Amino acid sequence: MSPRTLIAGNWKMNLLRGEAGLLAVALADHMRSATSGAEMVVCPPTPLLDTVAAKLAGTPLGLGGQDCHAESAGAHTGDVSAEMLRDAGCGFVTVGHSERRADHDESDGLVRAKAEAAHRAGLIAIVCVGETEAERDAGRAVDVVTSQIAGSLPEASTAANTVIAYEPVWAIGTGRTPTLDDIAEMHAAMRARLGDLMTDSDAVRLLYGGSVKPSNADEILAIANVNGALVGGASLKAEDFIAIHRAAG
Ligand code: PEP
């Protein structure tokens, strides 16, 4: 049986409280009556978690953080712990997004420690991986991504506590996407690599992320081994994000 499709929205550093509340209400209304069996999760900026959590209460719409520190508490100004996210109502957290790997120099080892923290706090870690354009042009995309997976996954990772998001760096926010064959090749390679690392690798949800929008969601979500999408820009517009969720069937 295929794992349950997951459509996750990464709001990044966007929206103020009023806008976030309106977006959350529109998505919550959709989820109350949605016929699609796909799960939907939104990952707002940390200061908006309470506002969004209040709007989602009692609906099947999930909440996630965008990052967490590896430790549970301490002298780490500006950071948030996985336990704090859990306390704020989150069930998920993205770790290792390419913008964090690039802007904050995050290594696979650090991403792994953050995923461990997520598991410790009872959160599902959405572990992000993806090659740069230069790496793809050099024919190294599969090697780069499978090695990121091996380096970023804690030993205790299971299909229940971990989701992997393949996000080619050059496709994020650019309107460009890999060919459907390239996505299929990468997702098959990821599934095979996970088979060496986990006993329930077939049940792990593998998301594609990078310029997913209503016009390409159908064909991307139909690819073998694609079990959902991580969506940036299009998750900020209720109409677009709902259309992507509907495309998940
Ligand atoms: C992302 O940042 O995770 C992402 C996929 O962004 P976009 O959909 O805007 O390319």
Side-chain angles (χ1 to χ4, degrees):
M1 203 177 75
S2 299
R4 186 176 177 205
T5 304
L6 171 63
I7 305 297
N10 172 15
W11 293 1
K12 310 196 189 192
M13 196 175 70
N14 291 299
L15 307 181
L16 297 177
R17 195 177 301 272
E19 301 161 314
L22 289 174
L23 178 54
V25 166
L27 298 177
D29 283 348
H30 161 73
M31 284 306 284
R32 270 193 203 94
S33 57
T35 49
S36 162
E39 190 170 6
M40 184 194 272
V41 169
V42 291
C43 302
T46 307
L48 301 178
L49 284 173
D50 273 355
T51 300
V52 175
K55 308 290 186 202
L56 307 191
T59 78
L61 180 44
L63 188 65
Q66 296 181 10
D67 180 52
C68 64
H69 196 278
E71 290 180 29
S72 54
H76 303 290
T77 304
D79 282 313
V80 295
S81 70
E83 283 75 4
M84 290 170 178
L85 294 175
R86 175 85 186 178
D87 192 42
C90 292
F92 293 78
V93 61
T94 56
V95 293
H97 191 283
S98 66
E99 287 153 15
R100 292 209 59 91
R101 288 181 186 260
D103 296 355
H104 301 273
D105 228 4
E106 293 194 359
S107 63
D108 287 342
L110 181 59
V111 174
R112 179 187 167 111
K114 291 182 174 202
E116 264 161 8
H119 295 165
R120 181 187 68 220
L123 299 176
I124 297 175
I126 302 178
V127 179
C128 303
V129 293
E131 83 285 358
T132 62
E133 187 157 30
E135 288 163 343
R136 176 157 286 276
D137 289 347
R140 297 181 47 233
V142 167
D143 282 351
V144 167
V145 167
T146 51
S147 125
Q148 283 177 335
I149 287 177
S152 305
L153 282 195
E155 259 173 47
S157 298
T158 66
N161 65 20
T162 305
V163 172
I164 315 272
Y166 166 55
E167 300 203 299
V169 178
W170 52 273
I172 294 179
T174 59
R176 298 164 58 207
T177 54
T179 65
L180 301 182
D181 285 348
D182 284 344
I183 297 174
E185 182 198 23
M186 184 62 81
H187 279 243
M190 294 197 297
R191 184 77 69 198
R193 187 69 183 98
L194 284 176
D196 307 328
L197 303 169
M198 298 164 69
T199 51
D200 58 355
S201 56
D202 283 351
V204 176
R205 292 186 284 186
L206 304 181
L207 312 186
Y208 168 78
S211 297
V212 176
K213 44 193 182 227
S215 58
N216 62 17
D218 269 330
E219 55 187 15
I220 290 173
L221 291 169
I223 298 171
N225 288 305
V226 173
N227 311 115
L230 180 55
V231 184
S235 73
L236 295 171
K237 287 189 205 124
E239 202 185 316
D240 287 356
F241 197 48
I242 289 168
I244 292 168
H245 183 257
R246 287 204 174 106

